[in-house]
């Protein structure tokens, strides 16, 4: 082709503009293809698949059946119900309580959006399945059952929950065997849930707040980390400390009651947490920091001293997620916020929830965040970052794979999950033995016979690689602590 230089430049420039437009349209199409409402509906179905105990008549996940109907019998207490933790048949109280708190927070912050998508009642149902169990697990002010099942024995078998034969010992904390972290997180869960149920069931909300107050006092009076009292939990969910849970519980109790004593606890705390790297079942400092920031925005506390410290630390975390801070969160080449090698999507989900919630607070206060490097973040910036993370999870990633099971067509077919990977007891009631489950199902290369709709697997590695191997529990095992905050994020952007 022959042309003068200026004509060539114009032609090349025009081609570049067209290519950029096509790229923009393609990206928009990818985002538009993310049906957040559908994903929201499926995320709540996941909790029905995780139910333990006698299933209700309106159970929608029909391949599941009743299970663990004698839980608590060794301690002469009814501990049936609640949720199985992840891909096992364990009921671990520490992550269950955090799951409960995040479900309640999702229900509270995104109530109007959940109602608009006709999922508010399902959210409350998922929440109540947890709180009904937690109420039973707290039979006395200073007694809290924090685990059912032996983690080592459970993990040594591959069995359906409906006919598992592994031992189901009950473990508790009390005045002689304390666990301020477990008691504090359960107090937060009860207080948060009381707010969620208050408009529809005042009596139930009152019961929950009573438990929350007792548990907070129990946690304060008997300090210590729970896995010293329940050593079996230490190999699965060890706690790094209890200061964060006490702040978190105080924040929720203040929001639920308005009582000054809980605000005083936050104000007088010696440790506000500093700048956090993650928000998780083990680290709730960021949650407390975000709550105090809300109080500042609403003018309920002064933006100075300790309160300013909480707010500043919350915003430092957000700036780091937005790549505008001093210690930015790593991103994969495909754009996923990447925190830790093991089950990273749980941290992406909680960070996205913090972003979506803080965006709501910023918008209400008509203010913004000033990041350390001079960048300014508006509410819309935070919501966009949260949406980008959800888009990645739902398929806008280098592998074009949805990491939500049952969403789209290209999703994990072999999640590390006992119940989903073994034929439903309703289709084949023949008992599956401890070792027989490994031979017939765990090592079977075929897709799981039951689709664990709405589950979020651990996700890709730091280079966006993912293999969908049932044996890879680091990347392929779903858990409740990931999906609970995602319920709120999905509602926020749907």
């Amino acid at each position: 082709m022959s042309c003068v230089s200026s004509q060539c430049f114009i032609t090349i420039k025009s081609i570049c503009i067209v290519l950029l437009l096509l790229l923009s349209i393609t990206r928009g199409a990818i985002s538009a293809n993310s049906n957040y409402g559908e994903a929201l509906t499926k995320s709540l179905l996941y909790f029905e698949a995780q139910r333990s105990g006698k299933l209700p008549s309106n159970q929608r996940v029909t391949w599941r059946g009743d299970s663990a109907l004698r839980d608590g019998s060794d301690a002469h207490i009814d501990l049936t119900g609640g949720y199985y933790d992840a891909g096992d048949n364990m009921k671990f109280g520490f992550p269950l309580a955090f799951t409960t708190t995040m479900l309640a927070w999702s229900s509270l912050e995104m109530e109007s959006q959940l109602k608009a998508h006709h999922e508010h009642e399902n959210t409350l149902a998922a929440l109540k399945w947890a709180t009904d169990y937690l109420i039973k697990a707290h039979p006395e002010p200073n007694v809290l059952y924090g685990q059912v099942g032996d983690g080592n024995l459970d993990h040594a078998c591959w069995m359906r929950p409906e006919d598992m034969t592994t031992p189901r010992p009950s473990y508790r904390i009390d005045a002689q065997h304390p666990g301020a972290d477990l008691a504090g997180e359960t107090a937060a869960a009860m207080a948060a849930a009381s707010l969620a149920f208050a408009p529809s069931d005042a009596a139930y909300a009152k019961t929950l707040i009573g438990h929350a107050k007792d548990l907070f006092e129990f946690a304060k009076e008997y300090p210590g980390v729970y896995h010293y009292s329940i050593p079996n939990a230490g190999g699965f969910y060890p706690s790094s400390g209890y200061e964060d849970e006490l702040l978190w519980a105080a924040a929720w109790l203040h929001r639920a009651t308005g009582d000054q004593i809980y605000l005083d606890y936050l104000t007088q705390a010696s440790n506000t947490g500093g700048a956090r790297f993650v928000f998780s079942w083990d680290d709730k400092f960021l949650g407390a920091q975000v709550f105090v920031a809300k109080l500042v925005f609403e003018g309920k506390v002064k933006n100075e001293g300790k309160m300013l410290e909480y707010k500043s630390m919350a915003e430092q975390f957000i700036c780091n997620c937005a790549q505008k801070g001093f210690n930015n969160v790593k991103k994969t080449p495909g754009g996923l916020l990447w925190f830790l090698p093991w089950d990273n999507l749980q941290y992406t989900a909680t960070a996205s929830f913090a972003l979506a919630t803080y965006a709501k607070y910023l918008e209400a206060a008509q203010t913004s965040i000033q990041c350390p490097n001079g960048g300014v973040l508006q509410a819309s910036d935070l919501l966009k970052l949260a949406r980008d993370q959800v888009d990645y999870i739902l398929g806008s990633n280098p592998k074009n794979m949805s990491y939500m099971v049952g969403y789209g067509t290209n999703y994990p077919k072999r999640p590390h999950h006992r119940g989903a990977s073994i034929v439903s007891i309703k289709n084949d009631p023949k008992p599956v033995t401890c070792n027989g489950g490994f031979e017939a199902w765990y090592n079977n290369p075929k897709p799981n016979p039951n689709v664990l709709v709405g589950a979020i697997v651990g996700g890709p590695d730091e280079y966006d690689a993912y293999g969908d191997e049932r044996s890879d529990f680091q990347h392929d095992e779903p858990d409740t602590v990931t999906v609970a905050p995602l319920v709120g994020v999905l509602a926020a952007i749907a």
Side-chain angles (χ1 to χ4, degrees):
M1 181 180 72
S2 62
C3 63
V4 297
S5 59
S6 60
Q7 288 175 323
C8 286
F9 175 75
I10 292 170
T11 303
I12 293 169
K13 183 178 180 183
S14 300
I15 292 170
C16 288
I17 290 171
V18 170
L19 288 172
L20 286 170
L21 284 170
L22 286 172
L23 181 60
S24 176
I25 291 168
T26 302
R27 283 178 174 170
I30 289 172
S31 181
N33 286 336
S34 294
N35 187 331
Y36 306 125
E38 177 192 345
L40 172 61
T41 296
K42 290 182 173 179
S43 69
L44 289 162
L45 281 171
Y46 165 69
F47 287 98
E48 297 195 17
Q50 293 300 108
R51 283 173 170 169
S52 180
K54 184 166 182 59
L55 301 182
S57 58
N58 62 352
Q59 170 82 6
R60 295 177 294 170
V61 179
T62 56
W63 53 266
R64 281 295 324 282
D66 298 341
S67 62
L69 299 180
R70 299 190 69 252
D71 278 2
S73 59
D74 62 316
H76 307 291
I77 184 174
D78 177 10
L79 292 177
T80 59
Y83 289 115
Y84 296 119
D85 166 64
D88 49 28
N89 298 325
M90 290 295 299
K91 293 196 293 201
F92 289 113
F94 199 34
L96 172 60
F98 182 68
T99 294
T100 307
T101 311
M102 295 308 296
L103 267 176
W105 200 1
S106 293
S107 175
L108 280 170
E109 295 296 351
M110 314 306 171
E111 181 179 353
S112 62
Q113 295 96 321
L114 287 166
K115 286 181 175 178
H117 288 273
H118 309 289
E119 293 295 348
H120 187 244
E121 290 302 316
N122 287 327
T123 304
L124 290 182
L127 179 58
K128 194 170 188 295
W129 197 266
T131 51
D132 281 352
Y133 169 78
L134 293 178
I135 287 170
K136 291 191 285 188
H138 184 224
E140 301 172 37
N142 292 349
V143 173
L144 175 64
Y145 284 85
Q147 183 176 318
V148 179
D150 182 304
N152 297 311
L153 296 177
D154 179 274
H155 286 200
C157 292
W158 197 260
M159 307 178 77
R160 294 177 297 214
E162 289 83 3
D163 54 4
M164 61 178 166
T165 57
T166 47
R168 305 288 292 173
S170 308
Y171 300 91
R172 72 183 222 178
I173 57 170
D174 52 38
Q176 290 73 42
H177 313 89
D181 38 14
L182 175 60
E185 180 57 48
T186 310
M190 298 286 209
S194 75
L195 285 163
F197 286 109
S200 59
D201 193 339
Y204 191 63
K206 185 177 180 180
T207 296
L208 289 167
I209 202 65
H211 282 279
K213 289 179 177 179
D214 285 348
L215 284 162
F216 183 66
E217 293 305 316
F218 174 33
K220 283 197 304 178
E221 190 170 349
Y222 299 98
V225 292
Y226 86 107
H227 65 253
Y228 290 149
S229 298
I230 307 178
N232 192 260
F236 306 95
Y237 288 96
S239 173
S240 59
Y242 56 84
E243 288 178 299
D244 53 329
E245 281 82 18
L246 287 174
L247 292 178
W248 181 229
W252 273 111
L253 278 160
H254 178 258
R255 183 165 174 174
T257 67
D259 291 350
Q260 184 66 32
I261 56 168
Y262 302 115
L263 184 59
D264 290 343
Y265 188 88
L266 290 165
T267 306
Q268 295 163 10
S270 59
N271 181 15
T272 62
R276 308 312 295 174
F277 177 64
V278 294
F279 178 35
S280 74
W281 57 265
D282 182 42
D283 191 335
K284 290 91 177 191
F285 276 117
L286 180 70
Q289 292 165 355
V290 168
F291 261 35
V292 172
K294 181 178 188 288
L295 295 175
V296 172
F297 289 139
E298 294 172 344
K300 294 179 179 177
V301 297
K302 291 182 178 179
N303 190 22
E304 61 185 27
K306 193 65 65 73
M307 299 295 102
L308 173 60
E309 190 177 321
Y310 281 109
K311 178 174 174 289
S312 297
M313 294 303 101
E315 294 182 352
Q316 192 164 321
F317 176 87
I318 290 168
C319 290
N320 286 338
C321 287
Q323 312 298 296
K324 295 181 182 294
F326 287 133
N327 187 23
N328 293 335
V329 176
K330 182 175 181 176
K331 275 190 168 185
T332 68
L336 178 70
L337 288 173
W338 197 86
F339 296 88
L340 290 168
W342 198 289
D343 188 14
N344 176 69
L345 287 184
Q346 66 170 306
Y347 308 111
T348 308
T350 50
S352 298
F353 183 92
L355 290 164
T357 302
Y358 215 84
K360 179 183 175 183
Y361 299 163
L362 287 176
E363 189 172 11
Q366 295 187 318
T367 187
S368 58
I369 296 175
Q370 185 72 43
C371 289
N373 67 358
V376 176
L377 290 174
Q378 307 290 343
S380 58
D381 298 319
L382 273 58
L383 204 58
K384 181 184 182 302
L385 179 54
R387 183 181 289 109
D388 288 345
Q389 297 306 300
V390 171
D391 285 343
Y392 183 106
I393 292 171
L394 296 181
S396 181
N397 56 63
K399 294 190 74 68
N400 295 314
M401 167 173 270
S402 164
Y403 291 107
M404 174 180 279
V405 179
Y407 180 89
T409 56
N410 186 24
Y411 56 81
K413 304 298 195 298
R414 302 165 190 82
H416 180 96
H417 189 277
R418 284 161 175 76
S421 69
I422 300 173
V423 64
S424 170
I425 195 168
K426 296 181 179 180
N427 294 336
D428 185 354
K430 182 182 177 182
V432 177
T433 64
C434 173
N435 292 323
F438 280 108
E439 295 168 6
W441 301 104
Y442 180 82
N443 295 321
N444 191 328
K446 294 180 180 179
N448 290 354
N450 308 302
V451 180
L452 192 64
V453 174
I456 304 290
V457 296
D461 66 15
E462 60 188 305
Y463 304 109
D464 300 302
Y466 173 79
D468 191 18
E469 297 290 339
R470 192 176 295 120
S471 58
D472 183 10
F473 43 82
Q474 183 172 343
H475 299 104
D476 216 22
E477 183 171 14
D479 47 46
T480 61
V481 296
T482 303
V483 182
L486 206 64
V487 168
V489 183
L490 288 166
I493 64 177

